[in-house]
Amino acid sequence: MFHHAEIIAVGSELLLGNVANTDAQYVSQKLAAVGVDVLYHTVVGDNPERLRQVTDIARQRCDLLIFIGGLGPTYDDLTKDTVCAAFGVATEFHEDVMEEISGYFKNVFRREMPDCNRRQAYLPKGCTVLHNPVGTAPGCVFTADGVTVAMLPGVPHECRYLTDHALLPYLQARQESMILSHTLHVFGLTEPKVQEELGDLMNGAVNPSLAPYAKGAEVQLRLTAKAATEADCERLLAPLMQAVRQRLGAHVYGVDMGSPEQHAVQALTRRALTVSAAESCTGGLIAKRLTDVPGASAAFLGGVVSYTNGVKHGVLGVPEALLQQYGAVSEPVAKAMAEGARRITGSSLALSVTGLAGPDGDDRGNPVGTVYIGLAQAGGTQVTQLFLKGDRKSIRQQAADYAFALLNKYLQKINP
């Protein structure tokens, strides 16, 4: 059973900030699901001396090391040789792996394999090969001196494929326990307020644990238990989950919802409802996020980017009198925008967003960050006023997050 893991991402491009280290995030999430505690994340450049130093440190504090990247055929792909040298493990040629790599070139790239790719068929002696049908870099796992070492390619889709289809099954077959987490979604309370309400539960929670973090317009509470089976984990989690729900009441509006847009599409589809959007300052961000979800056409009918008053009036039907009297960034205009989107699309529900993302406020004294969000439905229209902080991009993102949170909270209230 593995107790402590360290993920070591190799690549100078990660240190330069040219590439985000999404592989490590993904692998961490997957390791937690099979009962592996990740204690450290390390990033090191394409330098064999520094990689050797990092390896020597990691093997002293963890019994599972996951190396990501540096398994390619070029001169700077040094992970395999460096790590094997650190553990005193020789490499050997794998003919079957060589056939897989050359076959990939023939069938996918439709050209002959360069000779340099032969390097990728040399793997640690006695290792378990993690065969890679979606790329040319095989992964591997070996154990030496009481430490298990896994190596994964750095190309994201290859790393994720081998994590899911090879590494996780390998680890699960050797685990004696598992970790199970649930995420409670909280809306209408700030993170400090949630901590105030749940402080004693958080301080006293060990197994299961309870940790909050703010994400977008909501606070998420992650409850995590470790036990021999999934059923045992659920039994540990149940009392803590009940206690949190009792204290926060209706502010808890969902469990394990995933992305807010994905949850909205699923909830709308399940209820045979549809939604449309009228957006000003968000510039189509709500529509973009909805249409990123597969199957969104069953729930999202369309949207209008009404960036000017002319479009607000001419397309959405916002009365000129409202625009003149209250201004574009106002509760009455947000209400009329949502109702206009609902009317012209025929949707069950409609969201609207109008606000000031910057760099300047408006001539009516509204400061940057003033945002109104409308939600129209058959029984009426509710409008929420927000005062958001941050730069232009952040305010637009926050506004979209709040719109989805308001939509999902409404959907949670009506019949499932």
Short mmCIF file of all heavy atoms in Angstrom, two decimals, residues 294-338:
data_model
loop_
_atom_site.label_atom_id
_atom_site.label_comp_id
_atom_site.label_asym_id
_atom_site.label_seq_id
_atom_site.Cartn_x
_atom_site.Cartn_y
_atom_site.Cartn_z
N PRO A 294 -21.24 18.99 -24.21
CA PRO A 294 -21.89 18.09 -25.17
C PRO A 294 -23.37 17.92 -24.84
O PRO A 294 -23.73 17.74 -23.67
CB PRO A 294 -21.12 16.77 -25.01
CG PRO A 294 -19.78 17.17 -24.47
CD PRO A 294 -20.05 18.35 -23.58
N GLY A 295 -24.21 17.98 -25.84
CA GLY A 295 -25.64 17.83 -25.61
C GLY A 295 -26.35 19.10 -25.22
O GLY A 295 -27.54 19.08 -24.89
N ALA A 296 -25.65 20.25 -25.27
CA ALA A 296 -26.25 21.51 -24.85
C ALA A 296 -27.43 21.92 -25.72
O ALA A 296 -28.30 22.68 -25.27
CB ALA A 296 -25.20 22.61 -24.83
N SER A 297 -27.49 21.42 -26.95
CA SER A 297 -28.58 21.82 -27.85
C SER A 297 -29.95 21.41 -27.32
O SER A 297 -30.97 21.98 -27.72
CB SER A 297 -28.37 21.22 -29.24
OG SER A 297 -28.33 19.80 -29.17
N ALA A 298 -29.98 20.44 -26.40
CA ALA A 298 -31.26 20.03 -25.82
C ALA A 298 -31.77 21.04 -24.81
O ALA A 298 -32.95 21.02 -24.46
CB ALA A 298 -31.11 18.66 -25.15
N ALA A 299 -30.88 21.93 -24.33
CA ALA A 299 -31.27 22.84 -23.25
C ALA A 299 -31.07 24.31 -23.58
O ALA A 299 -31.77 25.16 -23.03
CB ALA A 299 -30.48 22.50 -21.99
N PHE A 300 -30.12 24.64 -24.45
CA PHE A 300 -29.79 26.03 -24.73
C PHE A 300 -30.28 26.39 -26.13
O PHE A 300 -29.86 25.80 -27.12
CB PHE A 300 -28.28 26.25 -24.63
CG PHE A 300 -27.85 27.66 -24.93
CD1 PHE A 300 -28.35 28.72 -24.19
CD2 PHE A 300 -26.96 27.91 -25.95
CE1 PHE A 300 -27.97 30.02 -24.46
CE2 PHE A 300 -26.55 29.21 -26.23
CZ PHE A 300 -27.06 30.26 -25.48
N LEU A 301 -31.19 27.37 -26.20
CA LEU A 301 -31.79 27.73 -27.49
C LEU A 301 -31.00 28.79 -28.24
O LEU A 301 -31.04 28.84 -29.46
CB LEU A 301 -33.23 28.22 -27.27
CG LEU A 301 -34.20 27.20 -26.68
CD1 LEU A 301 -35.62 27.74 -26.73
CD2 LEU A 301 -34.11 25.86 -27.41
N GLY A 302 -30.30 29.66 -27.53
CA GLY A 302 -29.54 30.69 -28.21
C GLY A 302 -29.33 31.89 -27.32
O GLY A 302 -29.84 31.97 -26.20
N GLY A 303 -28.53 32.84 -27.83
CA GLY A 303 -28.22 34.02 -27.05
C GLY A 303 -28.05 35.25 -27.92
O GLY A 303 -27.84 35.16 -29.13
N VAL A 304 -28.13 36.41 -27.28
CA VAL A 304 -27.94 37.69 -27.95
C VAL A 304 -26.85 38.45 -27.19
O VAL A 304 -26.94 38.62 -25.97
CB VAL A 304 -29.23 38.53 -27.95
CG1 VAL A 304 -28.98 39.91 -28.55
CG2 VAL A 304 -30.33 37.80 -28.70
N VAL A 305 -25.82 38.87 -27.91
CA VAL A 305 -24.80 39.74 -27.32
C VAL A 305 -25.23 41.17 -27.61
O VAL A 305 -25.00 41.70 -28.70
CB VAL A 305 -23.40 39.45 -27.89
CG1 VAL A 305 -22.38 40.40 -27.26
CG2 VAL A 305 -23.00 38.01 -27.61
N SER A 306 -25.90 41.76 -26.65
CA SER A 306 -26.47 43.11 -26.82
C SER A 306 -25.51 44.13 -26.21
O SER A 306 -25.79 44.71 -25.16
CB SER A 306 -27.85 43.19 -26.19
OG SER A 306 -27.81 42.76 -24.83
N TYR A 307 -24.41 44.35 -26.89
CA TYR A 307 -23.35 45.18 -26.33
C TYR A 307 -23.68 46.67 -26.41
O TYR A 307 -23.09 47.47 -25.69
CB TYR A 307 -22.04 44.88 -27.06
CG TYR A 307 -20.81 45.05 -26.21
CD1 TYR A 307 -20.64 44.32 -25.04
CD2 TYR A 307 -19.82 45.95 -26.59
CE1 TYR A 307 -19.52 44.47 -24.26
CE2 TYR A 307 -18.69 46.11 -25.81
CZ TYR A 307 -18.53 45.37 -24.64
OH TYR A 307 -17.42 45.54 -23.87
N THR A 308 -24.60 47.03 -27.27
CA THR A 308 -24.99 48.43 -27.40
C THR A 308 -26.46 48.61 -27.06
O THR A 308 -27.25 47.66 -27.10
CB THR A 308 -24.76 48.93 -28.84
OG1 THR A 308 -25.64 48.22 -29.72
CG2 THR A 308 -23.32 48.71 -29.27
N ASN A 309 -26.81 49.85 -26.75
CA ASN A 309 -28.21 50.14 -26.46
C ASN A 309 -29.09 49.88 -27.67
O ASN A 309 -30.26 49.50 -27.54
CB ASN A 309 -28.37 51.58 -25.98
CG ASN A 309 -27.88 51.77 -24.56
OD1 ASN A 309 -27.52 50.81 -23.89
ND2 ASN A 309 -27.85 53.02 -24.12
N GLY A 310 -28.53 50.11 -28.87
CA GLY A 310 -29.31 49.88 -30.07
C GLY A 310 -29.75 48.44 -30.20
O GLY A 310 -30.88 48.15 -30.61
N VAL A 311 -28.86 47.50 -29.87
CA VAL A 311 -29.21 46.08 -29.93
C VAL A 311 -30.14 45.71 -28.78
O VAL A 311 -31.06 44.91 -28.93
CB VAL A 311 -27.95 45.21 -29.95
CG1 VAL A 311 -28.31 43.73 -29.90
CG2 VAL A 311 -27.11 45.50 -31.19
N LYS A 312 -29.90 46.30 -27.63
CA LYS A 312 -30.81 46.03 -26.49
C LYS A 312 -32.24 46.41 -26.86
O LYS A 312 -33.18 45.68 -26.56
CB LYS A 312 -30.34 46.82 -25.26
CG LYS A 312 -29.06 46.30 -24.61
CD LYS A 312 -28.72 47.15 -23.39
CE LYS A 312 -27.47 46.63 -22.66
NZ LYS A 312 -26.24 46.82 -23.43
N HIS A 313 -32.38 47.55 -27.52
CA HIS A 313 -33.73 48.00 -27.90
C HIS A 313 -34.23 47.29 -29.15
O HIS A 313 -35.35 46.75 -29.17
CB HIS A 313 -33.72 49.51 -28.13
CG HIS A 313 -35.00 50.03 -28.72
ND1 HIS A 313 -36.20 50.00 -28.02
CD2 HIS A 313 -35.27 50.57 -29.94
CE1 HIS A 313 -37.15 50.50 -28.78
NE2 HIS A 313 -36.62 50.86 -29.95
N GLY A 314 -33.39 47.25 -30.20
CA GLY A 314 -33.85 46.76 -31.49
C GLY A 314 -34.05 45.25 -31.56
O GLY A 314 -34.94 44.77 -32.27
N VAL A 315 -33.26 44.51 -30.83
CA VAL A 315 -33.36 43.04 -30.88
C VAL A 315 -34.12 42.50 -29.68
O VAL A 315 -35.04 41.69 -29.82
CB VAL A 315 -31.96 42.40 -30.97
CG1 VAL A 315 -32.07 40.87 -30.97
CG2 VAL A 315 -31.23 42.87 -32.22
N LEU A 316 -33.74 42.93 -28.49
CA LEU A 316 -34.35 42.39 -27.27
C LEU A 316 -35.64 43.12 -26.88
O LEU A 316 -36.38 42.62 -26.04
CB LEU A 316 -33.35 42.47 -26.11
CG LEU A 316 -32.12 41.57 -26.22
CD1 LEU A 316 -31.14 41.87 -25.09
CD2 LEU A 316 -32.52 40.10 -26.20
N GLY A 317 -35.84 44.29 -27.46
CA GLY A 317 -37.08 45.01 -27.16
C GLY A 317 -37.05 45.77 -25.85
O GLY A 317 -38.11 46.08 -25.29
N VAL A 318 -35.87 46.10 -25.36
CA VAL A 318 -35.78 46.91 -24.14
C VAL A 318 -36.31 48.31 -24.47
O VAL A 318 -35.80 48.96 -25.41
CB VAL A 318 -34.33 46.99 -23.63
CG1 VAL A 318 -34.25 47.89 -22.39
CG2 VAL A 318 -33.80 45.61 -23.32
N PRO A 319 -37.30 48.81 -23.76
CA PRO A 319 -37.86 50.13 -24.09
C PRO A 319 -36.82 51.24 -24.02
O PRO A 319 -36.00 51.27 -23.09
CB PRO A 319 -38.96 50.32 -23.03
CG PRO A 319 -39.34 48.93 -22.63
CD PRO A 319 -38.06 48.14 -22.69
N GLU A 320 -36.87 52.14 -24.98
CA GLU A 320 -35.96 53.29 -24.98
C GLU A 320 -36.10 54.09 -23.69
O GLU A 320 -35.13 54.63 -23.16
CB GLU A 320 -36.27 54.19 -26.18
CG GLU A 320 -35.80 53.63 -27.51
CD GLU A 320 -34.34 53.92 -27.78
OE1 GLU A 320 -33.63 54.31 -26.84
OE2 GLU A 320 -33.91 53.74 -28.93
N ALA A 321 -37.33 54.17 -23.19
CA ALA A 321 -37.57 54.96 -21.97
C ALA A 321 -36.78 54.42 -20.79
O ALA A 321 -36.26 55.19 -19.97
CB ALA A 321 -39.06 54.97 -21.66
N LEU A 322 -36.66 53.07 -20.69
CA LEU A 322 -35.88 52.48 -19.60
C LEU A 322 -34.40 52.81 -19.75
O LEU A 322 -33.72 53.14 -18.76
CB LEU A 322 -36.07 50.97 -19.56
CG LEU A 322 -37.41 50.42 -19.12
CD1 LEU A 322 -37.38 48.89 -19.09
CD2 LEU A 322 -37.78 50.94 -17.74
N LEU A 323 -33.91 52.70 -20.96
CA LEU A 323 -32.50 52.99 -21.21
C LEU A 323 -32.18 54.45 -20.91
O LEU A 323 -31.13 54.76 -20.34
CB LEU A 323 -32.14 52.64 -22.65
CG LEU A 323 -32.16 51.16 -23.00
CD1 LEU A 323 -32.17 50.96 -24.52
CD2 LEU A 323 -30.97 50.46 -22.38
N GLN A 324 -33.08 55.33 -21.27
CA GLN A 324 -32.86 56.75 -21.03
C GLN A 324 -32.96 57.09 -19.54
O GLN A 324 -32.17 57.85 -19.00
CB GLN A 324 -33.88 57.59 -21.82
CG GLN A 324 -33.69 57.55 -23.32
CD GLN A 324 -32.38 58.20 -23.75
OE1 GLN A 324 -31.91 59.15 -23.12
NE2 GLN A 324 -31.79 57.68 -24.82
N GLN A 325 -33.96 56.50 -18.87
CA GLN A 325 -34.21 56.87 -17.47
C GLN A 325 -33.22 56.23 -16.51
O GLN A 325 -32.72 56.89 -15.59
CB GLN A 325 -35.63 56.47 -17.08
CG GLN A 325 -35.99 56.85 -15.64
CD GLN A 325 -37.44 56.52 -15.30
OE1 GLN A 325 -38.21 56.06 -16.16
NE2 GLN A 325 -37.83 56.75 -14.05
N TYR A 326 -32.91 54.94 -16.74
CA TYR A 326 -32.09 54.21 -15.76
C TYR A 326 -30.67 53.90 -16.24
O TYR A 326 -29.81 53.58 -15.42
CB TYR A 326 -32.78 52.89 -15.40
CG TYR A 326 -34.13 53.07 -14.76
CD1 TYR A 326 -35.30 52.88 -15.50
CD2 TYR A 326 -34.25 53.45 -13.43
CE1 TYR A 326 -36.55 53.04 -14.92
CE2 TYR A 326 -35.49 53.62 -12.83
CZ TYR A 326 -36.64 53.41 -13.59
OH TYR A 326 -37.88 53.59 -13.01
N GLY A 327 -30.45 53.94 -17.54
CA GLY A 327 -29.15 53.57 -18.06
C GLY A 327 -29.06 52.08 -18.32
O GLY A 327 -29.84 51.28 -17.79
N ALA A 328 -28.08 51.70 -19.16
CA ALA A 328 -27.94 50.29 -19.55
C ALA A 328 -27.60 49.40 -18.37
O ALA A 328 -28.00 48.24 -18.32
CB ALA A 328 -26.89 50.16 -20.64
N VAL A 329 -26.84 49.94 -17.41
CA VAL A 329 -26.43 49.14 -16.24
C VAL A 329 -27.40 49.45 -15.11
O VAL A 329 -27.19 50.36 -14.29
CB VAL A 329 -24.98 49.45 -15.84
CG1 VAL A 329 -24.56 48.59 -14.64
CG2 VAL A 329 -24.03 49.21 -17.02
N SER A 330 -28.49 48.70 -15.09
CA SER A 330 -29.54 48.97 -14.11
C SER A 330 -30.43 47.75 -13.96
O SER A 330 -30.46 46.87 -14.83
CB SER A 330 -30.41 50.16 -14.54
OG SER A 330 -31.08 49.86 -15.75
N GLU A 331 -31.16 47.70 -12.86
CA GLU A 331 -32.07 46.59 -12.62
C GLU A 331 -33.20 46.52 -13.66
O GLU A 331 -33.48 45.43 -14.18
CB GLU A 331 -32.65 46.69 -11.21
CG GLU A 331 -33.61 45.56 -10.88
CD GLU A 331 -34.13 45.64 -9.45
OE1 GLU A 331 -33.52 46.35 -8.63
OE2 GLU A 331 -35.16 44.99 -9.16
N PRO A 332 -33.86 47.64 -13.99
CA PRO A 332 -34.94 47.54 -14.98
C PRO A 332 -34.46 47.05 -16.34
O PRO A 332 -35.18 46.29 -17.02
CB PRO A 332 -35.46 48.99 -15.07
CG PRO A 332 -35.10 49.60 -13.76
CD PRO A 332 -33.78 48.99 -13.39
N VAL A 333 -33.27 47.45 -16.77
CA VAL A 333 -32.77 47.01 -18.06
C VAL A 333 -32.39 45.53 -18.02
O VAL A 333 -32.67 44.79 -18.97
CB VAL A 333 -31.59 47.89 -18.52
CG1 VAL A 333 -30.89 47.28 -19.73
CG2 VAL A 333 -32.08 49.29 -18.84
N ALA A 334 -31.77 45.08 -16.94
CA ALA A 334 -31.45 43.65 -16.82
C ALA A 334 -32.71 42.82 -16.87
O ALA A 334 -32.76 41.75 -17.50
CB ALA A 334 -30.69 43.40 -15.52
N LYS A 335 -33.78 43.30 -16.22
CA LYS A 335 -35.06 42.59 -16.23
C LYS A 335 -35.63 42.53 -17.64
O LYS A 335 -36.06 41.47 -18.12
CB LYS A 335 -36.04 43.29 -15.29
CG LYS A 335 -37.43 42.67 -15.21
CD LYS A 335 -38.26 43.40 -14.15
CE LYS A 335 -39.64 42.77 -14.00
NZ LYS A 335 -40.49 43.01 -15.18
N ALA A 336 -35.62 43.66 -18.33
CA ALA A 336 -36.17 43.70 -19.69
C ALA A 336 -35.34 42.86 -20.66
O ALA A 336 -35.88 42.23 -21.58
CB ALA A 336 -36.24 45.15 -20.16
N MET A 337 -34.03 42.83 -20.48
CA MET A 337 -33.16 42.01 -21.34
C MET A 337 -33.49 40.52 -21.20
O MET A 337 -33.61 39.79 -22.19
CB MET A 337 -31.69 42.24 -20.98
CG MET A 337 -31.13 43.57 -21.43
SD MET A 337 -29.46 43.88 -20.77
CE MET A 337 -28.55 42.52 -21.51
N ALA A 338 -33.63 40.05 -19.94
CA ALA A 338 -33.94 38.64 -19.71
C ALA A 338 -35.30 38.29 -20.30
O ALA A 338 -35.46 37.25 -20.95
CB ALA A 338 -33.90 38.33 -18.22
#
